[in-house]
Amino acid sequence: GESVGLHLPTLSVQEGDNSIINCAYSNSASDYFIWYKQESGKGPQFIIDIRSNMDKRQGQRVTVLLNKTVKHLSLQIAATQPGDSAVYFCAENEGGGADGLTFGKGTHLIIQP
Amino acid sequence: DTEVTQTPKHLVMGMTNKKSLKCEQHMGHRAMYWYKQKAKKPPELMFVYSYEKLSINESVPSRFSPECPNSSLLNLHLHALQPEDSALYLCASQVSSADTQYFGPGTRLTVL
């Protein structure tokens, strides 16, 4: 079946460097995408979202890029800090309504001092 | 305020017990969700309530019974669970179509 997936299960970066987390999706009908951060023992925390009529959206220290041609989504974190250590999930809302989210497998971001 | 609260934080129950998980939000969101998350896995959708009516049941076993008493509350009633049902149970809410879902902290359930 169609699914949302991630390229790398673990990403290790030096503190202060930029991080890029990737996500591939296969459902061309999806029109809304979200990135969540999940710290150990906590629920997913909203980071940033993007709709399919956009290709880039920026937040505080984070940028999401959407390439619909190759069905690819990425999360860029600038000047990575120790507090950024977490598992990051991309998720898609296929129907755009209250249908629930389909999550990717997750990437564990590790910050090295 | 984007807070979704869940109680209890932790729950240990035997396979013959009956227990309930509770979720509450006061953001006026009319869609509420239950997800199940196993260790080192992404959340998986279980149920969707839209305007207090069950709109999606992702083929969840009947030992899980959701209930939405009003627009702010969502319950998950548990009965005769199996050890493999041990997981983090997450509640989420959403204000309208195509808006983001906000998650609660989850209930860590252990079935003995």
Side-chain angles (χ1 to χ4, degrees):
Chain A
E2 295 184 318
S3 64
V4 177
L6 290 171
H7 295 303
L8 296 172
T10 302
L11 178 64
S12 182
V13 299
Q14 293 290 127
E15 182 179 348
D17 287 352
N18 296 335
S19 302
I20 299 176
I21 301 171
N22 296 302
C23 178
Y25 67 95
S26 56
N27 189 346
S28 58
S30 295
D31 68 348
Y32 183 60
F33 304 87
I34 308 170
W35 281 100
Y36 286 97
K37 172 187 180 182
Q38 188 173 26
E39 297 174 276
S40 181
K42 297 183 179 180
Q45 176 188 356
F46 170 80
I47 299 174
I48 193 168
D49 59 358
I50 189 168
R51 300 185 191 278
S52 59
N53 60 354
M54 304 171 68
D55 54 18
K56 180 179 180 179
R57 192 159 188 233
Q58 289 184 291
Q60 186 178 10
R61 280 203 307 121
V62 294
T63 301
V64 56
L65 299 177
L66 176 62
N67 186 331
K68 294 181 288 295
T69 302
V70 296
K71 299 178 186 173
H72 184 267
L73 192 68
S74 69
L75 176 70
Q76 300 178 2
I77 304 174
T80 311
Q81 303 169 358
D84 294 329
S85 292
V87 177
Y88 289 81
F89 292 101
C90 65
E92 62 179 322
N93 184 325
E94 296 182 13
D99 289 343
L101 298 173
T102 300
F103 282 79
K105 295 181 180 178
T107 293
H108 185 194
L109 180 63
I110 299 171
I111 312 303
Q112 295 183 343
Chain B
D1 181 14
T2 57
E3 187 177 25
V4 177
T5 59
Q6 290 188 243
T7 55
K9 291 185 178 180
H10 302 276
L11 179 62
V12 179
M13 60 186 292
M15 290 187 285
T16 59
N17 293 157
K18 286 185 180 181
K19 297 288 184 182
S20 296
L21 309 184
K22 297 185 184 299
C23 174
E24 190 167 3
Q25 57 86 15
H26 296 287
M27 297 177 280
H29 293 179
R30 302 310 295 270
M32 296 185 74
Y33 306 80
W34 281 114
Y35 289 82
K36 174 182 178 180
Q37 186 177 25
K38 301 285 279 184
K40 300 187 187 301
K41 297 289 186 181
E44 295 180 341
L45 183 66
M46 300 175 71
F47 301 104
V48 180
Y49 272 84
S50 181
Y51 291 87
E52 295 96 69
K53 295 188 185 303
L54 182 65
S55 60
I56 294 178
N57 176 342
E58 292 285 356
S59 302
V60 179
S62 60
R63 57 186 183 269
F64 295 91
S65 176
E67 178 196 20
C68 190
N70 59 56
S71 60
S72 299
L73 295 174
L74 186 66
N75 298 321
L76 186 62
H77 303 297
L78 314 173
H79 174 53
L81 294 193
Q82 303 297 310
E84 59 264 29
D85 296 322
S86 298
L88 180 68
Y89 287 85
L90 294 161
C91 174
S93 70
Q94 178 177 319
V95 65
S96 65
S97 62
D99 279 350
T100 193
Q101 289 183 24
Y102 294 96
F103 283 82
T107 292
R108 176 71 62 187
L109 174 68
T110 302
V111 182
L112 302 176

